[in-house]
Amino acid sequence: MAVVGIAGTLALAGCGGDSSAEDSPKLASSIKDACALGDKEKAVNWWRSGDEADLREEIAPFEKEHPDIKITIGLYRPNEIVQRMSAEMQAGKKPGADVVDGDLLTLDPLFQQGWIQDYDWAAAGTPEEHITEVNGAPGVRNSRTYIGLAYNTDVVPAAEVPKTYQDLIDSKWAGKVVYDPRGTYLQGTSVVWGPDKAIAWFDDLLDTTKAVPIEGGTASIEAVVQGQYAMTTSASQNDAQANIDSGAPLGFQLLDVIPVNDYNTALIKGAEHPNAAACFLEWWTGPEGEAGRLKVEGKSNAEAPADMPAGSELAVVDTQEDFDAADKMVTHIAESSQ
């Protein structure tokens, strides 16, 4: 289990997280009992981002196993989840979500304000390495994606594909490399190298390579596929592979630093349907849920990519020091892109 102490990315000062907990059904101590009670609660309100058709396909086996539990999917970006729950806290309302998914850094304010339900996920069979404790409450990692370089195979010869971030610093790539101005895809370099080296590298990327800002991994990959640019640093392995499988002229290369995006699931304290939510969370973060994500979206929960190059290093943000380093890089990239 990783114990994380990270600063909240959105202040929720003055909000009480326990106001509605006493009115909620009691959460069973075992998943078996929670599932039995969950069938009687009959609902789960699940807030996360994503494509609803994909999610419906992925959770169909759970719904078949628990036909009495209706899962309502609220599609929001992780920061929108925090904002909506903040408004509920401030209004003293019962939480609208029973369970939430998102990256840990964005959801951190919910942990810091005491709105995440404590539960013994290890006793429920969840691997220790998938449990991340923040402010005394656990989130459960459901998937891990890896960031690398996506390139147009019609434009970049195989022998010239960069193998490291430093390989991108070359005038021959001037105006041909894309990055995300929000900094999220490159923050991992700061975690591994330290902020000073990472910021100096990024400044060199702008000066030498004249890198082009495009927000969003999907948009940048599309621009590379269409031949507008040669390559993008804003590519997850699973998204790139989906394009490759569709026949697009795209290749993907993991570099010397491999930024990691962890997606986590957590129970909300005071939820209206706590047992149904716990039953679903245990399934969603377990082997059956992972199998569905891998089949539909190409996302697994493996600790490291199977094709990780020798000498490469994973950049995982799971300590205060990591968060501070990542934040400095994100801030610098955003400011440099204005």
Side-chain angles (χ1 to χ4, degrees):
M1 175 189 293
V3 178
V4 184
I6 52 182
T9 53
L10 177 67
L12 304 180
C15 302
D18 298 326
S19 61
S20 59
E22 65 272 13
D23 300 325
S24 300
K26 185 177 180 180
L27 177 59
S29 59
S30 76
I31 287 297
K32 181 179 179 181
D33 290 342
C35 287
L37 292 170
D39 288 339
K40 297 178 181 178
E41 291 173 357
K42 297 185 179 301
V44 173
N45 294 322
W46 183 27
W47 288 7
R48 56 158 300 139
S49 60
D51 181 271
E52 184 164 5
D54 286 348
L55 294 171
R56 287 292 175 194
E57 182 178 350
E58 291 167 14
I59 66 174
F62 176 85
E63 294 180 313
K64 183 177 180 180
E65 184 178 345
H66 297 274
D68 292 331
I69 299 178
K70 175 179 173 56
I71 298 179
T72 299
I73 302 174
L75 294 179
Y76 310 104
R77 293 181 179 179
N79 65 311
E80 292 174 332
I81 290 173
V82 174
Q83 291 165 357
R84 290 176 70 90
M85 295 205 71
S86 171
E88 291 176 347
M89 292 179 195
Q90 292 169 342
K93 294 181 178 179
K94 197 174 190 67
D98 299 308
V99 60
V100 297
D101 278 17
D103 67 279
L104 200 62
L105 293 177
T106 305
L107 296 181
D108 180 60
L110 303 183
F111 287 87
Q112 299 300 335
Q113 294 297 321
W115 265 50
I116 301 301
Q117 176 68 49
D118 190 12
Y119 199 78
D120 190 351
W121 292 114
T126 301
E128 288 280 352
E129 63 269 22
H130 293 175
I131 304 171
T132 306
E133 183 179 294
V134 184
N135 195 30
V140 181
R141 194 182 83 206
N142 64 63
S143 61
R144 169 170 281 187
T145 59
Y146 310 99
I147 306 303
L149 188 74
Y151 58 94
N152 188 303
T153 54
D154 292 337
V155 176
V156 184
E160 297 183 18
V161 176
K163 300 299 190 295
T164 70
Y165 279 99
Q166 191 60 40
D167 289 346
L168 291 168
I169 309 299
D170 192 321
S171 59
K172 71 180 179 181
W173 303 126
K176 299 178 181 179
V177 178
V178 171
Y179 76 96
D180 193 311
R182 298 170 299 180
T184 50
Y185 287 92
L186 293 174
Q187 66 182 12
T189 58
S190 187
V191 173
V192 172
W193 295 338
D196 291 344
K197 179 179 177 179
I199 288 171
W201 169 84
F202 178 73
D203 289 345
D204 203 3
L205 182 74
L206 292 186
D207 291 342
T208 303
T209 311
K210 313 300 181 186
V212 179
I214 294 181
E215 186 172 317
T218 300
S220 69
I221 289 177
E222 183 177 348
V224 170
V225 168
Q226 293 176 350
Q228 296 174 265
Y229 303 97
M231 61 191 81
T232 175
T233 61
S234 312
S236 66
Q237 190 171 34
N238 57 290
D239 286 343
Q241 191 61 50
N243 280 270
I244 294 170
D245 291 344
S246 71
L250 197 72
F252 181 80
Q253 176 67 48
L254 292 168
L255 303 177
D256 53 329
V257 174
I258 303 175
V260 167
N261 282 343
D262 284 346
Y263 218 63
N264 294 265
T265 309
L267 287 180
I268 297 299
K269 185 181 291 185
E272 186 175 359
H273 315 102
N275 292 289
C279 181
F280 172 67
L281 189 156
E282 189 272 339
W283 182 91
W284 174 244
T285 61
E288 290 183 271
E290 181 179 0
R293 283 188 299 282
L294 188 59
K295 177 183 177 182
V296 177
E297 299 181 75
K299 294 181 179 179
S300 77
N301 209 5
E303 292 302 301
D307 55 347
M308 182 171 173
S312 292
E313 187 171 350
L314 294 179
V316 182
V317 181
D318 62 2
T319 69
Q320 181 68 53
E321 183 179 4
D322 294 338
F323 174 77
D324 291 342
D327 186 59
K328 288 179 181 178
M329 185 63 164
V330 166
T331 300
H332 180 76
I333 291 175
E335 292 177 347
S336 299
S337 304
Q338 293 177 354

